[in-house]
Amino acid sequence: MRAHSSATTRTPIAVRGTALACLGVAAFSLTFPSTHWALSGFGAWSAVTVRAVLATAVAGVFLVAGRARVPDRAHWAGLAVVACGVVVGFPLLTTLALRTTDTSHAAVVVGALPLCTAVLAALRTGARPSRTFWAAAVAGAAVVTAFTLGESGGAPTAGDGYLFGALLVCAAGYVEGGRLAAVLPGWQVVGWALVGTLPLTLPAMVVSLSLEPVRLTGESVGGLVWVSVVSQFLGLLVWYRGMAAIGVTRASQLQLAQPVLTLVWSAALLGERLGAATLPAALGVLVCVAVTQRSGAGRPAAPESAPEHEAHGGRAVAASMAEGMASRTTSGT
């Protein structure tokens, strides 16, 4: 009787968690098209800094409403890495790339973010992944490299350089965020990282808006609001809640659809014509990511405890450090 009751209780939680995770994936898949719209009326630096400041305002409301405690001093170095990678680095580099690169091209390249994150996580934790893991990671990197070289005529473009840089800094931010998520709810990790950058992003926004031309249209404002409020914070909030309910590994499988969704939005909303190699390359990357997720990143040399904690009104169990780092693939930021 107890077993039946327990199973009955877990079922709606799993359904709700899956729905929340899917909402997060859908939100992230629109990040690149929305950035493209934002760039139609804002300069690259203005778009990035306004995005960060607006997201910080939303995060601040949630932190105050949730009575979140200021993190211990020992956590701020890690939060700085998260901020540099997720709050500043990834948005800036991808925005600069999208000035000259199609969103469909960017979606394929950034689709390798889970691979990059898993590799950095393995190096960070001292884990020993299986040979299958490393083979899939190398194959995924080869697919992305071949795609970028084929699309650019044999030499990577400046946009490709920005995208590869975005992969590295964002993966570093995710890895450090995975470590911090063992002691802080994930939404607070993002929230405090945003708040910590405000002394930099606020004056940078003022300077950028004074130097770059601004053309306010429904498209540019709508795109900027989406990446600021949804991609940068609310999408992460529902994504972390979903992961807390169904587990990091199951949630990460749902995010395999994100690059393909972005390709659909690129064609449907922006009218981009997909090159002959775009969809095969995207599917190739997805297969490699799926293999790394299923093969696992191995156990860390010195595993850390992952205590339970309260996460915005719901009970969230932090995944183990190795699993959290290897599987936390929130590329939509």
Side-chain angles (χ1 to χ4, degrees):
M1 190 74 174
R2 286 184 179 179
H4 176 74
S5 177
S6 177
T8 303
T9 302
R10 284 197 299 267
T11 299
I13 293 177
V15 171
R16 180 171 175 270
T18 300
L20 288 172
C22 287
L23 282 176
V25 170
F28 299 148
S29 70
L30 279 163
T31 298
F32 283 172
S34 298
T35 301
H36 179 88
W37 284 333
L39 289 174
S40 68
F42 294 86
W45 292 94
S46 297
V48 171
T49 53
V50 172
R51 167 181 176 170
V53 171
L54 289 179
T56 302
V58 176
V61 171
F62 276 82
L63 290 172
V64 172
R67 298 181 180 179
R69 296 178 57 185
V70 176
D72 295 337
R73 183 178 299 179
H75 300 323
W76 280 103
L79 288 171
V81 175
V82 175
C84 291
V86 179
V87 177
V88 178
F90 185 82
L92 175 61
L93 292 172
T94 53
T95 299
L96 292 174
L98 288 173
R99 294 187 304 175
T100 58
T101 302
D102 291 340
T103 59
S104 55
H105 180 96
V108 174
V109 176
V110 176
L113 179 58
L115 297 174
C116 191
T117 303
V119 171
L120 288 185
L123 296 175
R124 175 73 168 83
T125 62
R128 296 180 179 178
S130 65
R131 293 180 180 178
T132 302
F133 171 91
W134 287 116
V138 171
V143 169
V144 171
T145 301
F147 172 75
T148 55
L149 293 178
E151 290 275 296
S152 58
T157 64
D160 290 327
Y162 288 133
L163 290 173
F164 283 119
L167 285 178
L168 292 175
V169 298
C170 192
Y174 285 165
V175 169
E176 196 62 21
R179 184 185 69 81
L180 290 172
V183 292
L184 292 172
W187 66 274
Q188 288 191 24
V189 173
V190 177
W192 287 116
L194 283 164
V195 170
T197 63
L198 191 61
L200 172 65
T201 55
L202 184 58
M205 181 188 72
V206 174
V207 173
S208 299
L209 290 175
S210 66
L211 296 177
E212 294 180 329
V214 174
R215 187 167 63 91
L216 298 179
T217 64
E219 188 176 87
S220 64
V221 173
L224 189 58
V225 169
W226 184 274
V227 295
S228 302
V229 178
V230 181
S231 298
Q232 192 79 48
F233 186 74
L234 293 182
L236 286 170
L237 189 151
V238 297
W239 172 245
Y240 279 123
R241 293 291 300 276
M243 284 197 301
I246 66 176
V248 177
T249 301
R250 287 182 62 187
S252 68
Q253 301 306 309
L254 297 174
Q255 203 169 28
L256 297 179
Q258 185 174 319
V260 177
L261 283 176
T262 299
L263 294 180
V264 172
W265 300 135
S266 299
L269 302 179
L270 304 179
E272 292 185 2
R273 301 184 65 178
L274 304 182
T278 301
L279 188 57
L283 294 176
V285 170
L286 293 185
V287 169
C288 294
V289 172
V291 172
T292 62
Q293 298 294 335
R294 292 188 176 277
S295 64
R299 293 182 178 274
E304 298 184 15
S305 61
E308 296 184 356
H309 53 262
E310 294 297 320
H312 194 59
R315 191 170 183 80
V317 181
S320 68
M321 188 174 175
E323 182 187 23
M325 289 182 177
S327 304
R328 198 164 302 241
T329 57
T330 45
S331 63
T333 55

